[in-house]
């Protein structure tokens, strides 16, 4: 696989050991996520919007509504999409070395609006990211419904991938302190599916949802 | 409590029922979070950086390093800080009505750099957000360590608070479909604390960390 483009903004000045240009690492972070934070500039100021996304090959699809100004102005300018996994709280002996364990990907690029004929495929990618197996289980979108959805396609070319894992790193002299140090793991967990109160009787949770 | 300022960018055009100007709702969302996504404009393009934060009263503190250009350019311009809780995947009978349950806060404002004499108090707020009880348990920062940390203070005045909870909303005619519908709950969970391999023998996990 082609490595990611190295640009000044994706090359870390601090903690360069936390950075990677490995495309496989980028894909792993993206594929494990459920939502992203989409950064756009509106009237000169930044806006950070949580939204759904999906990846197919070297394209990231980001979901929105044609009624959202953020989506409709995005194709004419550069955006930044960030996906973050918080993996742990790093508790050091000194407050200064407290940190978090995380995996994050910041992707930069000028997106294109997915044309009508490509929207269904792009939405399938986004739906399957959120709930694998769900695309074939639910009613397909109508042409009118598709018209109300905006999907951005962003090439996965320029990205900053950062990973911090493992125990704290303290100052040499602090290892003697009588302070507990280590990591408090954090993870995303799924609960048992909660049926819609309006669900028709006799419809059980499908295996692709029960398994998570 | 003073309600949040209503501005065009914090007034939702779509789904206005998901929006609130309630300051208590904002505080609840912020106080329940562990990380935020900081949006800044660098050379005209957006950058979305995951980082730690904390709230005290009507001020949000955001943590960074004096070596990070994002932190040092921020005080001269408007930023956007977003905190998002993903609470569930909303599975509808139609793909079009798939959604997520979430609570999010987008805060806009021009931050100030916390001066040296205020840094320790601000860092306490950020540390206690991440690990309550930890500030008094670990070694305090030295003057030199404080000098290497940048903290932004952002007034909590203009914010867009959005909440979506509950079952899917389908088209009337779709309720007859034999498709399971409901919510797959998502939550953030803590694992058991993992000691640093270099931890001195005989130091047990303190109660404020064991309890989470």
């Amino acid at each position: 696989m082609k490595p990611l483009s190295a640009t000044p903004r994706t090359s870390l000045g601090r903690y360069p050991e936390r950075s990677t240009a490995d495309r496989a690492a980028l894909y792993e972070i993206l594929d494990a996520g459920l939502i992203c934070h989409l950064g756009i500039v509106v009237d000169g100021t930044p806006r950070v919007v949580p939204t759904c996304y999906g990846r197919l090959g070297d394209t990231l699809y980001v979901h929105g509504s044609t009624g959202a100004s953020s989506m409709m102005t995005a194709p004419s300018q550069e955006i930044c999409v960030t996906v973050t996994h918080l993996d742990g709280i790093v508790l050091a002996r000194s407050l200064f070395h407290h940190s978090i364990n995380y995996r994050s990907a910041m992707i930069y690029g000028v997106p294109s609006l997915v044309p009508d004929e490509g929207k269904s495929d792009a939405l399938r990618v986004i739906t399957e990211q959120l709930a694998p197996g769900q695309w074939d289980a639910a009613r397909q979108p109508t042409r009118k419904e598709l018209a109300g959805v905006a999907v951005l396609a962003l090439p996965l070319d320029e990205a900053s991938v950062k990973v911090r894992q493992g125990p704290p790193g303290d100052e040499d002299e602090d290892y003697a302190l009588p302070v507990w140090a280590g990591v408090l793991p954090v993870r995303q967990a799924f609960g048992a599916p909660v049926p819609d109160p309006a669900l028709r009787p006799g419809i059980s949770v499908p295996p692709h949802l029960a398994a998570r």
Side-chain angles (χ1 to χ4, degrees), chain A:
Chain A
M1 280 188 291
K2 188 172 68 142
L4 300 165
S5 305
T7 59
R9 64 185 168 186
T10 65
S11 306
L12 298 196
R14 297 167 308 121
Y15 302 114
E17 73 281 7
R18 294 185 186 172
S19 177
T20 174
D22 180 9
R23 189 170 281 274
L26 171 64
Y27 290 174
E28 209 175 293
I29 289 169
L30 295 179
D31 294 354
L34 295 172
I35 61 164
C36 67
H37 282 82
L38 165 67
I40 49 163
V41 179
V42 179
D43 299 333
T45 64
R47 197 167 293 191
V48 178
V49 186
T51 189
C52 299
Y53 74 96
R55 180 186 75 86
L56 183 66
D58 56 5
T59 301
L60 192 80
Y61 294 103
V62 182
H63 174 269
S65 156
T66 52
S69 59
S70 55
M71 293 299 286
M72 302 316 282
T73 56
S76 58
Q77 60 164 325
E78 204 161 64
I79 63 172
C80 175
V81 176
T82 297
V83 173
T84 307
H85 302 279
L86 176 62
D87 294 324
I89 300 173
V90 180
L91 302 141
R93 294 156 186 86
S94 66
L95 289 162
F96 183 71
H97 283 292
H98 277 59
S99 187
I100 53 173
N101 280 341
Y102 65 96
R103 292 160 289 147
S104 76
M106 295 164 60
I107 301 140
Y108 299 98
V110 178
S112 55
L113 263 180
V114 174
D116 281 347
E117 62 273 21
K119 274 186 192 171
S120 187
D121 286 347
L123 288 174
R124 171 192 276 267
V125 173
I126 295 171
T127 303
E128 292 290 298
Q129 175 89 25
L130 211 53
Q134 188 65 9
W135 185 265
D136 292 327
R139 174 173 69 69
Q140 299 297 302
T142 64
R143 190 175 295 200
K144 191 184 160 196
E145 286 173 339
L146 286 178
V149 177
V151 184
L152 299 177
L154 184 65
L156 292 170
D157 180 33
E158 186 187 355
S160 175
V161 179
K162 300 183 208 177
V163 176
R164 196 232 181 264
Q165 301 290 312
D170 266 305
E171 301 296 325
D172 286 347
E173 60 271 26
D174 286 337
Y175 281 86
L177 291 175
V179 177
W180 190 88
V183 174
L184 186 66
V186 179
R187 65 190 167 81
Q188 205 156 50
F190 293 102
V194 178
D196 183 350
L199 187 66
R200 282 177 50 195
I203 302 180
S204 54
V205 179
H208 69 272
L209 295 174
R212 293 184 88 170

